[in-house]
Amino acid sequence: MKKNLFRWLVTAMMLLILFPFQVVQACTGFIIGKNLTTDGSTLYGRTEDLEPNHNKNFVVRERKNNKAGDKFVDETNGFSFDLPAVSYKYTAVPDVTPEQGVFDEAGFNEEGVSISATVSASANDDIQKKDPYVKDGIAESAITSVVLPHVKTAREGVELLAKIVREKGAAEGNIITIADKSGVWYMEILSGHQYAAIKFPDDKYAVFPNTFFLGNINVNDTENTIASADLEKTARDAGTYKEVNGAFHIAQSYNPPLAEANRSRVWSGIKALNPNADVKYDDEYFELMHSTNDKLSLRDAMNLQRNRLEGTDFKPLDQMELDGKGIPDKKKADPVYKYPISNPNVMEAHIFQLKDNLPAKTGGGIFWLSMGSPRNAPYLPYYANINNTYRAYQEMSTAYNENSWYWTVSRINDLVAKYPDLFEDGSIRSEIERLETQWMEEQAAYDKEQISLANQPEEASLKATKLTMERAESVFKHLKEIQKKAEEKVVSEYGIKALKEIEESEDSNTEETIRLEDFDYDIALAGGIFVLTVVGIVIYLVKRKNKKGADSHE
Protein backbone atom coordinates (compact mmCIF):
# COMPACT_ATOMS: atom_id res chain seq x y z
CA MET A 1 0.00 0.00 0.00
CA LYS A 2 2.89 2.32 0.84
CA LYS A 3 4.42 1.66 -2.56
CA ASN A 4 1.08 2.34 -4.26
CA LEU A 5 0.70 5.61 -2.36
CA PHE A 6 4.20 6.67 -3.34
CA ARG A 7 3.59 5.80 -6.98
CA TRP A 8 0.28 7.68 -6.95
CA LEU A 9 1.90 10.79 -5.55
CA VAL A 10 4.74 10.70 -8.04
CA THR A 11 2.28 10.13 -10.88
CA ALA A 12 0.15 13.05 -9.72
CA MET A 13 3.23 15.27 -9.65
CA MET A 14 4.27 14.26 -13.17
CA LEU A 15 0.75 14.76 -14.52
CA LEU A 16 0.58 18.20 -12.98
CA ILE A 17 3.91 19.22 -14.47
CA LEU A 18 3.59 17.60 -17.87
CA PHE A 19 -0.15 17.72 -18.56
CA PRO A 20 -1.65 20.66 -16.67
CA PHE A 21 -5.40 21.08 -16.97
CA GLN A 22 -6.36 24.53 -18.19
CA VAL A 23 -9.90 25.83 -17.86
CA VAL A 24 -11.31 26.74 -21.25
CA GLN A 25 -12.89 30.13 -21.55
CA ALA A 26 -14.77 29.81 -24.75
CA CYS A 27 -18.32 31.18 -24.55
CA THR A 28 -19.42 33.62 -27.25
CA GLY A 29 -22.24 36.11 -26.69
CA PHE A 30 -24.10 38.35 -29.12
CA ILE A 31 -26.74 41.10 -29.21
CA ILE A 32 -28.70 42.34 -32.24
CA GLY A 33 -30.75 45.50 -31.68
CA LYS A 34 -34.37 45.49 -32.80
CA ASN A 35 -33.80 48.21 -35.41
CA LEU A 36 -31.53 45.78 -37.25
CA THR A 37 -33.87 42.77 -37.37
CA THR A 38 -36.34 41.69 -40.02
CA ASP A 39 -39.29 41.50 -37.61
CA GLY A 40 -38.40 44.22 -35.10
CA SER A 41 -37.52 41.75 -32.34
CA THR A 42 -34.39 42.08 -30.21
CA LEU A 43 -32.09 39.08 -30.39
CA TYR A 44 -29.42 38.15 -27.88
CA GLY A 45 -27.81 34.96 -26.62
CA ARG A 46 -24.71 32.89 -26.08
CA THR A 47 -23.01 29.59 -26.70
CA GLU A 48 -22.10 28.02 -23.36
CA ASP A 49 -18.69 26.48 -23.89
CA LEU A 50 -16.44 24.56 -21.54
CA GLU A 51 -15.78 21.00 -22.63
CA PRO A 52 -17.24 17.99 -24.44
CA ASN A 53 -19.24 15.40 -22.46
CA HIS A 54 -20.68 17.89 -19.98
CA ASN A 55 -24.38 17.24 -19.42
CA LYS A 56 -26.79 20.18 -19.08
CA ASN A 57 -30.43 20.27 -17.98
CA PHE A 58 -33.36 22.58 -18.78
CA VAL A 59 -35.68 23.06 -15.82
CA VAL A 60 -38.32 25.28 -14.21
CA ARG A 61 -37.42 26.60 -10.75
CA GLU A 62 -40.65 27.20 -8.83
CA ARG A 63 -41.56 30.40 -7.02
CA LYS A 64 -40.89 30.04 -3.31
CA ASN A 65 -41.28 31.87 -0.03
CA ASN A 66 -38.10 32.19 2.00
CA LYS A 67 -37.76 32.32 5.77
CA ALA A 68 -35.76 35.00 7.56
CA GLY A 69 -32.12 33.98 7.53
CA ASP A 70 -32.37 31.76 4.45
CA LYS A 71 -29.32 32.02 2.21
CA PHE A 72 -28.12 30.95 -1.21
CA VAL A 73 -24.65 29.42 -0.82
CA ASP A 74 -22.32 28.67 -3.71
CA GLU A 75 -20.64 25.39 -2.80
CA THR A 76 -17.70 26.10 -5.09
CA ASN A 77 -16.30 29.01 -3.09
CA GLY A 78 -18.54 29.78 -0.12
CA PHE A 79 -20.17 32.91 -1.56
CA SER A 80 -23.49 33.54 0.18
CA PHE A 81 -26.50 35.73 -0.54
CA ASP A 82 -29.30 36.58 1.89
CA LEU A 83 -32.54 35.56 0.22
CA PRO A 84 -35.46 38.03 0.17
CA ALA A 85 -38.96 37.02 1.26
CA VAL A 86 -39.85 35.73 -2.24
CA SER A 87 -37.85 34.08 -5.02
CA TYR A 88 -39.68 34.32 -8.35
CA LYS A 89 -40.28 31.38 -10.63
CA TYR A 90 -37.73 31.11 -13.45
CA THR A 91 -36.41 28.78 -16.12
CA ALA A 92 -32.77 27.69 -16.04
CA VAL A 93 -30.15 25.63 -17.88
CA PRO A 94 -28.09 24.23 -14.98
CA ASP A 95 -25.25 21.76 -14.68
CA VAL A 96 -26.02 18.33 -13.23
CA THR A 97 -23.34 18.53 -10.52
CA PRO A 98 -24.51 21.29 -8.14
CA GLU A 99 -21.75 20.47 -5.67
CA GLN A 100 -19.39 21.79 -8.36
CA GLY A 101 -21.54 24.86 -8.98
CA VAL A 102 -25.18 25.36 -9.99
CA PHE A 103 -24.47 27.29 -13.22
CA ASP A 104 -28.13 28.11 -13.98
CA GLU A 105 -26.77 30.12 -16.94
CA ALA A 106 -29.85 31.41 -18.80
CA GLY A 107 -33.61 31.82 -18.58
CA PHE A 108 -36.70 33.97 -18.06
CA ASN A 109 -38.35 34.80 -14.75
CA GLU A 110 -42.07 35.26 -14.10
CA GLU A 111 -41.71 39.07 -14.28
CA GLY A 112 -40.44 39.01 -17.85
CA VAL A 113 -36.72 39.48 -17.08
CA SER A 114 -34.22 37.32 -18.94
CA ILE A 115 -30.51 36.72 -18.43
CA SER A 116 -27.55 35.04 -20.10
CA ALA A 117 -24.66 34.62 -17.68
CA THR A 118 -21.84 34.54 -18.45
CA VAL A 119 -19.06 35.10 -20.96
CA SER A 120 -15.92 34.70 -18.87
CA ALA A 121 -13.13 37.27 -19.12
CA SER A 122 -10.15 38.35 -17.04
CA ALA A 123 -8.42 41.64 -16.30
CA ASN A 124 -4.72 42.06 -16.96
CA ASP A 125 -2.19 41.28 -14.23
CA ASP A 126 -1.59 44.90 -13.23
CA ILE A 127 -5.30 45.50 -12.68
CA GLN A 128 -5.58 42.31 -10.66
CA LYS A 129 -2.74 43.43 -8.39
CA LYS A 130 -4.63 46.66 -7.61
CA ASP A 131 -8.10 45.15 -7.39
CA PRO A 132 -7.76 41.36 -7.16
CA TYR A 133 -10.64 38.97 -7.60
CA VAL A 134 -12.16 37.90 -4.29
CA LYS A 135 -11.98 34.20 -3.47
CA ASP A 136 -15.48 34.03 -2.01
CA GLY A 137 -16.99 36.69 -4.25
CA ILE A 138 -19.77 36.14 -6.75
CA ALA A 139 -18.92 33.90 -9.70
CA GLU A 140 -20.63 32.63 -12.84
CA SER A 141 -21.75 29.55 -10.93
CA ALA A 142 -24.05 31.73 -8.79
CA ILE A 143 -24.98 34.79 -10.86
CA THR A 144 -28.17 33.56 -12.55
CA SER A 145 -29.42 31.82 -9.37
CA VAL A 146 -28.90 35.01 -7.35
CA VAL A 147 -30.10 37.63 -9.85
CA LEU A 148 -32.89 36.16 -11.99
CA PRO A 149 -35.37 35.10 -9.26
CA HIS A 150 -34.98 38.37 -7.34
CA VAL A 151 -35.54 41.24 -9.81
CA LYS A 152 -38.53 42.71 -11.63
CA THR A 153 -36.59 44.66 -14.29
CA ALA A 154 -33.32 44.28 -16.15
CA ARG A 155 -31.98 47.45 -14.56
CA GLU A 156 -32.72 46.03 -11.12
CA GLY A 157 -30.67 43.00 -12.14
CA VAL A 158 -27.68 45.15 -13.05
CA GLU A 159 -28.04 47.19 -9.86
CA LEU A 160 -28.26 44.07 -7.68
CA LEU A 161 -25.18 42.56 -9.28
CA ALA A 162 -23.31 45.87 -8.97
CA LYS A 163 -24.20 46.07 -5.27
CA ILE A 164 -22.90 42.56 -4.67
CA VAL A 165 -19.63 43.29 -6.49
CA ARG A 166 -19.15 46.50 -4.49
CA GLU A 167 -19.88 44.91 -1.13
CA LYS A 168 -18.72 41.30 -1.47
CA GLY A 169 -16.50 41.38 -4.52
CA ALA A 170 -16.30 39.27 -7.67
CA ALA A 171 -14.49 35.95 -7.79
CA GLU A 172 -13.74 36.36 -11.50
CA GLY A 173 -14.33 38.59 -14.51
CA ASN A 174 -17.58 38.11 -16.39
CA ILE A 175 -19.83 39.58 -19.09
CA ILE A 176 -23.57 39.41 -18.44
CA THR A 177 -26.58 40.32 -20.57
CA ILE A 178 -29.87 41.05 -18.80
CA ALA A 179 -33.07 42.12 -20.58
CA ASP A 180 -36.74 42.93 -20.23
CA LYS A 181 -39.35 44.51 -22.49
CA SER A 182 -37.47 47.83 -22.39
CA GLY A 183 -34.27 46.36 -23.88
CA VAL A 184 -30.94 44.71 -23.11
CA TRP A 185 -28.30 45.69 -20.60
CA TYR A 186 -24.70 44.66 -21.29
CA MET A 187 -22.54 44.43 -18.15
CA GLU A 188 -18.86 43.73 -17.57
CA ILE A 189 -17.53 42.70 -14.15
CA LEU A 190 -13.94 43.74 -14.72
CA SER A 191 -12.02 43.10 -11.50
CA GLY A 192 -12.64 42.40 -7.84
CA HIS A 193 -14.84 45.47 -7.31
CA GLN A 194 -15.01 47.30 -10.67
CA TYR A 195 -17.82 47.02 -13.18
CA ALA A 196 -19.56 48.91 -15.97
CA ALA A 197 -22.89 48.42 -17.74
CA ILE A 198 -24.73 50.09 -20.60
CA LYS A 199 -28.22 49.95 -22.06
CA PHE A 200 -27.46 48.44 -25.46
CA PRO A 201 -28.64 50.63 -28.38
CA ASP A 202 -31.35 49.33 -30.72
CA ASP A 203 -29.41 50.18 -33.88
CA LYS A 204 -26.23 48.18 -33.17
CA TYR A 205 -25.06 44.60 -32.96
CA ALA A 206 -22.24 43.00 -30.99
CA VAL A 207 -20.34 39.71 -30.86
CA PHE A 208 -18.25 39.12 -27.75
CA PRO A 209 -16.06 36.14 -26.83
CA ASN A 210 -13.90 35.95 -23.69
CA THR A 211 -12.45 39.43 -23.37
CA PHE A 212 -13.79 42.83 -22.36
CA PHE A 213 -15.18 45.15 -25.06
CA LEU A 214 -16.62 48.28 -23.44
CA GLY A 215 -14.82 51.36 -24.73
CA ASN A 216 -15.75 54.98 -24.08
CA ILE A 217 -18.85 55.29 -21.88
CA ASN A 218 -20.66 58.34 -20.56
CA VAL A 219 -20.87 57.82 -16.79
CA ASN A 220 -22.99 60.97 -16.52
CA ASP A 221 -25.76 59.34 -18.57
CA THR A 222 -27.15 57.54 -15.53
CA GLU A 223 -30.28 56.45 -17.38
CA ASN A 224 -28.27 54.28 -19.75
CA THR A 225 -25.02 53.70 -17.85
CA ILE A 226 -24.13 52.12 -14.49
CA ALA A 227 -20.47 52.00 -13.42
CA SER A 228 -18.35 51.61 -10.30
CA ALA A 229 -17.01 54.82 -8.76
CA ASP A 230 -13.34 53.83 -9.05
CA LEU A 231 -13.47 52.37 -12.56
CA GLU A 232 -11.07 54.93 -14.03
CA LYS A 233 -9.02 55.42 -10.86
CA THR A 234 -8.22 51.71 -10.61
CA ALA A 235 -6.78 51.75 -14.14
CA ARG A 236 -4.72 54.86 -13.36
CA ASP A 237 -3.41 53.34 -10.13
CA ALA A 238 -2.53 50.13 -11.99
CA GLY A 239 -0.63 52.09 -14.64
CA THR A 240 -2.81 50.65 -17.41
CA TYR A 241 -5.00 53.70 -18.12
CA LYS A 242 -5.48 54.22 -21.87
CA GLU A 243 -7.45 56.66 -23.96
CA VAL A 244 -9.00 56.19 -27.40
CA ASN A 245 -10.33 59.27 -29.22
CA GLY A 246 -9.32 61.40 -26.25
CA ALA A 247 -11.40 59.52 -23.66
CA PHE A 248 -10.86 56.70 -21.16
CA HIS A 249 -11.24 53.32 -22.87
CA ILE A 250 -12.30 50.54 -20.49
CA ALA A 251 -11.29 47.49 -22.52
CA GLN A 252 -7.91 48.88 -23.53
CA SER A 253 -7.20 49.71 -19.89
CA TYR A 254 -8.41 46.48 -18.30
CA ASN A 255 -7.72 43.77 -20.89
CA PRO A 256 -4.65 41.56 -21.26
CA PRO A 257 -3.35 41.12 -24.84
CA LEU A 258 -6.01 39.75 -27.18
CA ALA A 259 -5.85 35.94 -27.28
CA GLU A 260 -5.92 34.22 -30.67
CA ALA A 261 -9.04 32.22 -29.80
CA ASN A 262 -10.86 35.46 -29.00
CA ARG A 263 -9.59 37.22 -32.12
CA SER A 264 -10.85 34.46 -34.42
CA ARG A 265 -14.32 34.41 -32.88
CA VAL A 266 -14.97 38.13 -32.64
CA TRP A 267 -13.68 38.77 -36.16
CA SER A 268 -15.62 35.89 -37.73
CA GLY A 269 -18.76 36.83 -35.76
CA ILE A 270 -18.68 40.47 -36.86
CA LYS A 271 -18.15 39.38 -40.45
CA ALA A 272 -20.88 36.75 -40.27
CA LEU A 273 -23.49 39.40 -39.44
CA ASN A 274 -22.03 41.98 -41.81
CA PRO A 275 -19.61 40.69 -44.48
CA ASN A 276 -18.81 44.32 -45.36
CA ALA A 277 -17.83 45.28 -41.81
CA ASP A 278 -14.66 47.40 -41.74
CA VAL A 279 -12.61 45.06 -39.54
CA LYS A 280 -9.46 43.12 -40.33
CA TYR A 281 -8.38 39.87 -38.73
CA ASP A 282 -5.15 41.36 -37.38
CA ASP A 283 -6.70 44.56 -35.96
CA GLU A 284 -5.14 45.54 -32.64
CA TYR A 285 -8.53 45.37 -30.90
CA PHE A 286 -12.24 45.21 -31.74
CA GLU A 287 -14.93 47.57 -30.51
CA LEU A 288 -18.16 46.27 -29.00
CA MET A 289 -20.74 47.89 -31.28
CA HIS A 290 -21.18 47.51 -35.02
CA SER A 291 -23.73 48.48 -37.68
CA THR A 292 -25.11 46.99 -40.85
CA ASN A 293 -27.41 48.14 -43.63
CA ASP A 294 -28.90 44.65 -43.90
CA LYS A 295 -31.73 43.33 -41.79
CA LEU A 296 -30.87 40.31 -39.67
CA SER A 297 -33.16 37.41 -38.81
CA LEU A 298 -33.47 34.72 -36.17
CA ARG A 299 -31.96 32.34 -38.73
CA ASP A 300 -28.94 34.65 -38.99
CA ALA A 301 -28.53 34.42 -35.21
CA MET A 302 -28.69 30.63 -35.34
CA ASN A 303 -26.15 30.56 -38.15
CA LEU A 304 -23.88 32.80 -36.08
CA GLN A 305 -23.87 30.27 -33.25
CA ARG A 306 -23.20 27.49 -35.76
CA ASN A 307 -20.44 29.46 -37.47
CA ARG A 308 -17.33 27.47 -38.34
CA LEU A 309 -15.50 30.14 -40.32
CA GLU A 310 -17.59 29.60 -43.46
CA GLY A 311 -16.92 32.18 -46.14
CA THR A 312 -13.42 32.95 -44.85
CA ASP A 313 -9.94 31.74 -45.74
CA PHE A 314 -9.68 29.86 -42.44
CA LYS A 315 -10.59 26.37 -41.26
CA PRO A 316 -11.84 25.22 -37.83
CA LEU A 317 -9.05 24.33 -35.42
CA ASP A 318 -10.66 21.02 -34.48
CA GLN A 319 -10.44 19.96 -38.13
CA MET A 320 -6.66 20.22 -38.12
CA GLU A 321 -5.97 16.70 -36.90
CA LEU A 322 -8.65 15.24 -39.18
CA ASP A 323 -6.86 16.91 -42.10
CA GLY A 324 -3.62 15.18 -41.11
CA LYS A 325 -1.97 18.44 -40.04
CA GLY A 326 -1.17 17.34 -36.51
CA ILE A 327 -2.38 18.57 -33.14
CA PRO A 328 -2.82 22.35 -32.62
CA ASP A 329 0.06 24.10 -30.88
CA LYS A 330 -1.52 26.42 -28.33
CA LYS A 331 1.72 28.41 -28.08
CA LYS A 332 1.62 29.38 -31.73
CA ALA A 333 -1.18 30.74 -33.92
CA ASP A 334 -1.70 28.66 -37.03
CA PRO A 335 -2.08 30.70 -40.24
CA VAL A 336 -4.98 28.55 -41.50
CA TYR A 337 -6.68 26.77 -38.60
CA LYS A 338 -8.55 29.02 -36.17
CA TYR A 339 -10.86 28.57 -33.19
CA PRO A 340 -14.52 28.93 -34.35
CA ILE A 341 -17.65 30.04 -32.51
CA SER A 342 -19.11 26.56 -33.07
CA ASN A 343 -16.43 24.40 -31.47
CA PRO A 344 -16.34 21.00 -29.71
CA ASN A 345 -16.63 22.63 -26.28
CA VAL A 346 -20.17 24.00 -26.84
CA MET A 347 -22.54 22.41 -24.30
CA GLU A 348 -25.67 24.33 -25.23
CA ALA A 349 -26.65 27.43 -27.18
CA HIS A 350 -29.54 29.78 -26.55
CA ILE A 351 -31.17 32.78 -28.21
CA PHE A 352 -33.66 35.18 -26.66
CA GLN A 353 -36.10 36.67 -29.17
CA LEU A 354 -37.76 39.62 -27.42
CA LYS A 355 -41.00 40.90 -28.97
CA ASP A 356 -42.79 44.15 -28.12
CA ASN A 357 -46.25 42.60 -28.51
CA LEU A 358 -45.78 39.62 -26.17
CA PRO A 359 -46.91 39.97 -22.53
CA ALA A 360 -44.22 40.16 -19.84
CA LYS A 361 -45.63 37.01 -18.22
CA THR A 362 -44.57 35.02 -21.29
CA GLY A 363 -41.12 36.58 -20.86
CA GLY A 364 -41.94 39.23 -23.41
CA GLY A 365 -40.40 36.90 -25.92
CA ILE A 366 -39.21 33.40 -26.74
CA PHE A 367 -36.25 31.36 -25.50
CA TRP A 368 -34.80 29.29 -28.34
CA LEU A 369 -32.71 26.48 -26.81
CA SER A 370 -30.35 24.06 -28.51
CA MET A 371 -29.33 21.52 -25.88
CA GLY A 372 -25.88 20.29 -26.83
CA SER A 373 -23.94 21.84 -29.69
CA PRO A 374 -26.31 23.29 -32.33
CA ARG A 375 -24.13 21.99 -35.18
CA ASN A 376 -26.51 19.05 -35.56
CA ALA A 377 -29.20 19.83 -33.00
CA PRO A 378 -32.37 21.93 -33.24
CA TYR A 379 -33.32 25.13 -31.43
CA LEU A 380 -36.73 24.67 -29.79
CA PRO A 381 -38.88 27.69 -28.75
CA TYR A 382 -40.09 28.17 -25.15
CA TYR A 383 -42.14 30.82 -23.37
CA ALA A 384 -41.26 31.90 -19.82
CA ASN A 385 -44.61 30.77 -18.41
CA ILE A 386 -44.11 27.02 -18.88
CA ASN A 387 -44.61 24.90 -15.74
CA ASN A 388 -42.35 22.00 -16.63
CA THR A 389 -39.89 20.67 -19.19
CA TYR A 390 -39.68 17.35 -21.00
CA ARG A 391 -38.08 14.53 -18.98
CA ALA A 392 -35.15 14.08 -21.38
CA TYR A 393 -34.02 17.60 -20.39
CA GLN A 394 -33.86 16.54 -16.74
CA GLU A 395 -31.68 13.42 -16.97
CA MET A 396 -28.79 13.90 -14.50
CA SER A 397 -26.27 11.37 -15.81
CA THR A 398 -22.59 12.38 -16.10
CA ALA A 399 -21.98 9.68 -18.71
CA TYR A 400 -23.90 8.70 -21.83
CA ASN A 401 -27.56 7.92 -21.16
CA GLU A 402 -29.96 7.11 -23.97
CA ASN A 403 -32.82 8.91 -22.20
CA SER A 404 -30.94 12.22 -22.04
CA TRP A 405 -31.45 15.03 -24.54
CA TYR A 406 -27.92 16.30 -24.07
CA TRP A 407 -26.26 12.90 -24.44
CA THR A 408 -28.35 12.03 -27.51
CA VAL A 409 -27.27 15.23 -29.27
CA SER A 410 -23.69 14.72 -28.07
CA ARG A 411 -23.63 11.26 -29.68
CA ILE A 412 -24.95 12.61 -32.98
CA ASN A 413 -22.41 15.44 -33.01
CA ASP A 414 -19.56 13.08 -32.15
CA LEU A 415 -20.46 10.72 -34.98
CA VAL A 416 -20.66 13.52 -37.54
CA ALA A 417 -17.43 15.15 -36.32
CA LYS A 418 -15.37 11.95 -36.25
CA TYR A 419 -16.66 10.54 -39.56
CA PRO A 420 -17.36 13.61 -41.72
CA ASP A 421 -16.97 11.60 -44.92
CA LEU A 422 -20.13 9.67 -44.06
CA PHE A 423 -22.22 12.77 -43.40
CA GLU A 424 -20.89 15.24 -45.96
CA ASP A 425 -24.30 15.42 -47.66
CA GLY A 426 -25.48 17.56 -44.71
CA SER A 427 -28.77 15.66 -44.46
CA ILE A 428 -28.87 15.82 -40.65
CA ARG A 429 -28.35 19.57 -40.56
CA SER A 430 -30.89 20.05 -43.35
CA GLU A 431 -33.51 18.13 -41.42
CA ILE A 432 -32.78 20.12 -38.26
CA GLU A 433 -33.17 23.42 -40.12
CA ARG A 434 -36.38 22.22 -41.77
CA LEU A 435 -37.89 21.67 -38.33
CA GLU A 436 -36.71 25.07 -37.09
CA THR A 437 -38.21 26.82 -40.10
CA GLN A 438 -41.51 25.06 -39.48
CA TRP A 439 -41.57 26.22 -35.84
CA MET A 440 -40.69 29.78 -36.82
CA GLU A 441 -43.62 29.85 -39.23
CA GLU A 442 -45.99 28.43 -36.60
CA GLN A 443 -44.83 30.82 -33.88
CA ALA A 444 -47.02 33.76 -34.93
CA ALA A 445 -50.19 31.76 -34.23
CA TYR A 446 -48.94 30.68 -30.81
CA ASP A 447 -47.90 34.27 -30.01
CA LYS A 448 -51.42 35.42 -30.92
CA GLU A 449 -52.89 32.81 -28.57
CA GLN A 450 -50.63 33.94 -25.70
CA ILE A 451 -51.55 37.59 -26.30
CA SER A 452 -55.26 36.72 -26.22
CA LEU A 453 -54.75 35.01 -22.84
CA ALA A 454 -52.85 37.91 -21.26
CA ASN A 455 -55.60 38.30 -18.63
CA GLN A 456 -55.78 34.55 -18.03
CA PRO A 457 -52.21 33.74 -16.95
CA GLU A 458 -52.96 30.24 -15.64
CA GLU A 459 -54.63 29.21 -18.90
CA ALA A 460 -51.78 30.76 -20.91
CA SER A 461 -49.28 28.79 -18.86
CA LEU A 462 -51.13 25.50 -19.34
CA LYS A 463 -51.32 26.08 -23.11
CA ALA A 464 -47.61 26.95 -23.35
CA THR A 465 -46.58 23.93 -21.27
CA LYS A 466 -48.77 21.47 -23.21
CA LEU A 467 -47.49 22.79 -26.55
CA THR A 468 -43.82 22.60 -25.65
CA MET A 469 -44.02 19.23 -23.89
CA GLU A 470 -45.70 17.62 -26.89
CA ARG A 471 -43.23 19.20 -29.30
CA ALA A 472 -40.23 18.16 -27.21
CA GLU A 473 -41.45 14.58 -26.95
CA SER A 474 -41.90 14.37 -30.72
CA VAL A 475 -38.54 15.98 -31.46
CA PHE A 476 -36.68 13.74 -29.00
CA LYS A 477 -38.10 10.65 -30.70
CA HIS A 478 -36.97 12.09 -34.03
CA LEU A 479 -33.47 12.71 -32.64
CA LYS A 480 -33.28 9.09 -31.48
CA GLU A 481 -34.12 8.00 -35.03
CA ILE A 482 -31.39 10.26 -36.42
CA GLN A 483 -28.94 8.84 -33.87
CA LYS A 484 -29.86 5.24 -34.76
CA LYS A 485 -29.38 5.81 -38.50
CA ALA A 486 -26.08 7.61 -37.94
CA GLU A 487 -24.77 4.78 -35.75
CA GLU A 488 -25.84 2.18 -38.32
CA LYS A 489 -24.04 4.10 -41.05
CA VAL A 490 -20.80 4.25 -39.03
CA VAL A 491 -20.94 0.57 -38.06
CA SER A 492 -21.68 -0.45 -41.64
CA GLU A 493 -18.62 1.42 -42.90
CA TYR A 494 -16.11 1.05 -40.05
CA GLY A 495 -17.40 -1.79 -37.88
CA ILE A 496 -18.71 -1.98 -34.32
CA LYS A 497 -15.30 -0.95 -32.95
CA ALA A 498 -15.81 2.56 -34.31
CA LEU A 499 -18.99 2.96 -32.26
CA LYS A 500 -17.31 1.49 -29.18
CA GLU A 501 -14.59 4.15 -29.40
CA ILE A 502 -17.25 6.87 -29.34
CA GLU A 503 -18.98 5.21 -26.38
CA GLU A 504 -15.75 4.96 -24.37
CA SER A 505 -15.17 8.69 -24.68
CA GLU A 506 -18.65 9.67 -23.44
CA ASP A 507 -17.94 10.22 -19.77
CA SER A 508 -17.69 13.64 -18.16
CA ASN A 509 -14.97 12.30 -15.84
CA THR A 510 -12.61 11.33 -18.66
CA GLU A 511 -13.18 13.88 -21.39
CA GLU A 512 -10.36 15.66 -23.17
CA THR A 513 -10.72 19.40 -23.60
CA ILE A 514 -9.36 21.63 -26.33
CA ARG A 515 -7.16 23.96 -24.31
CA LEU A 516 -7.01 27.57 -25.36
CA GLU A 517 -5.02 29.28 -22.63
CA ASP A 518 -1.26 29.27 -22.36
CA PHE A 519 0.41 26.89 -19.93
CA ASP A 520 1.24 28.77 -16.70
CA TYR A 521 4.60 27.37 -15.71
CA ASP A 522 4.60 29.29 -12.42
CA ILE A 523 1.43 27.50 -11.33
CA ALA A 524 2.76 24.15 -12.55
CA LEU A 525 6.06 24.66 -10.73
CA ALA A 526 4.30 25.67 -7.52
CA GLY A 527 2.04 22.65 -7.82
CA GLY A 528 5.01 20.39 -8.46
CA ILE A 529 6.83 21.71 -5.41
CA PHE A 530 3.69 21.21 -3.32
CA VAL A 531 3.34 17.59 -4.46
CA LEU A 532 7.03 16.92 -3.85
CA THR A 533 6.66 18.38 -0.35
CA VAL A 534 3.71 16.08 0.35
CA VAL A 535 5.71 13.11 -0.98
CA GLY A 536 8.63 14.05 1.27
CA ILE A 537 6.40 14.33 4.34
CA VAL A 538 4.76 10.97 3.63
CA ILE A 539 8.14 9.27 3.18
CA TYR A 540 9.44 10.88 6.39
CA LEU A 541 6.39 9.76 8.39
CA VAL A 542 6.54 6.23 7.00
CA LYS A 543 10.26 5.92 7.79
CA ARG A 544 9.72 7.36 11.26
CA LYS A 545 6.94 4.88 11.94
CA ASN A 546 9.09 1.99 10.68
CA LYS A 547 11.97 3.13 12.87
CA LYS A 548 9.71 3.26 15.95
CA GLY A 549 8.48 -0.22 15.15
CA ALA A 550 12.03 -1.49 14.79
CA ASP A 551 13.10 0.17 18.06
CA SER A 552 10.26 -1.46 19.98
CA HIS A 553 11.55 -4.95 19.05
CA GLU A 554 15.15 -4.34 20.11
Side-chain angles (χ1 to χ4, degrees), residues 57-124:
N57 281 181
F58 176 43
V59 300
V60 176
R61 307 257 193 227
E62 292 298 334
R63 180 187 177 100
K64 64 175 184 174
N65 296 316
N66 303 308
K67 299 186 299 293
D70 282 354
K71 295 178 181 290
F72 169 89
V73 178
D74 187 343
E75 294 186 40
T76 64
N77 70 346
F79 167 82
S80 65
F81 173 74
D82 295 328
L83 293 171
V86 176
S87 293
Y88 303 131
K89 171 185 167 185
Y90 68 104
T91 59
V93 189
D95 279 10
V96 298
T97 50
E99 70 281 0
Q100 298 174 28
V102 177
F103 292 95
D104 269 340
E105 295 299 302
F108 279 117
N109 74 11
E110 64 180 85
E111 297 293 333
V113 179
S114 56
I115 191 171
S116 181
T118 69
V119 174
S120 303
S122 293
N124 61 57

Side-chain angles (χ1 to χ4, degrees), residues 470-538:
E470 290 176 352
R471 177 191 285 136
E473 181 177 20
S474 174
V475 173
F476 187 64
K477 288 178 180 178
H478 195 23
L479 288 172
K480 298 307 293 187
E481 293 170 0
I482 290 173
Q483 176 190 345
K484 184 174 182 291
K485 290 178 181 178
E487 288 175 345
E488 289 172 348
K489 184 179 286 191
V490 169
V491 171
S492 175
E493 186 70 23
Y494 295 105
I496 192 65
K497 182 181 177 182
L499 185 58
K500 292 294 184 183
E501 288 176 355
I502 294 284
E503 291 173 350
E504 289 170 2
S505 71
E506 291 172 323
D507 187 332
S508 62
N509 297 314
T510 59
E511 78 277 11
E512 292 184 4
T513 301
I514 291 181
R515 293 181 286 273
L516 302 179
E517 298 190 14
D518 292 339
F519 176 24
D520 191 327
Y521 285 94
D522 291 336
I523 292 176
L525 182 59
I529 291 171
F530 171 76
V531 174
L532 283 172
T533 302
V534 172
V535 171
I537 291 171
V538 170

Side-chain angles (χ1 to χ4, degrees), residues 105-149:
E105 295 299 302
F108 279 117
N109 74 11
E110 64 180 85
E111 297 293 333
V113 179
S114 56
I115 191 171
S116 181
T118 69
V119 174
S120 303
S122 293
N124 61 57
D125 291 344
D126 291 324
I127 289 287
Q128 290 192 46
K129 288 175 185 176
K130 282 295 176 183
D131 185 25
Y133 296 117
V134 179
K135 183 179 179 182
D136 59 351
I138 192 163
E140 175 180 353
S141 48
I143 286 176
T144 297
S145 309
V146 166
V147 174
L148 192 56

Side-chain angles (χ1 to χ4, degrees), residues 396-461:
M396 300 285 284
S397 177
T398 57
Y400 175 78
N401 184 304
E402 65 178 6
N403 298 315
S404 160
W405 196 295
Y406 171 86
W407 287 111
T408 296
V409 168
S410 177
R411 172 67 65 84
I412 294 169
N413 276 319
D414 286 349
L415 291 166
V416 174
K418 189 165 185 178
Y419 303 102
D421 55 312
L422 298 182
F423 303 98
E424 59 186 359
D425 63 353
S427 57
I428 294 178
R429 174 75 167 270
S430 296
E431 174 60 9
I432 293 303
E433 292 186 351
R434 183 191 68 78
L435 292 171
E436 292 167 344
T437 299
Q438 175 186 326
W439 300 328
M440 290 179 203
E441 292 171 350
E442 294 172 347
Q443 200 60 47
Y446 296 128
D447 288 354
K448 187 176 180 180
E449 179 179 60
Q450 287 292 311
I451 293 167
S452 71
L453 294 171
N455 296 321
Q456 300 171 262
E458 291 185 6
E459 181 67 15
S461 179

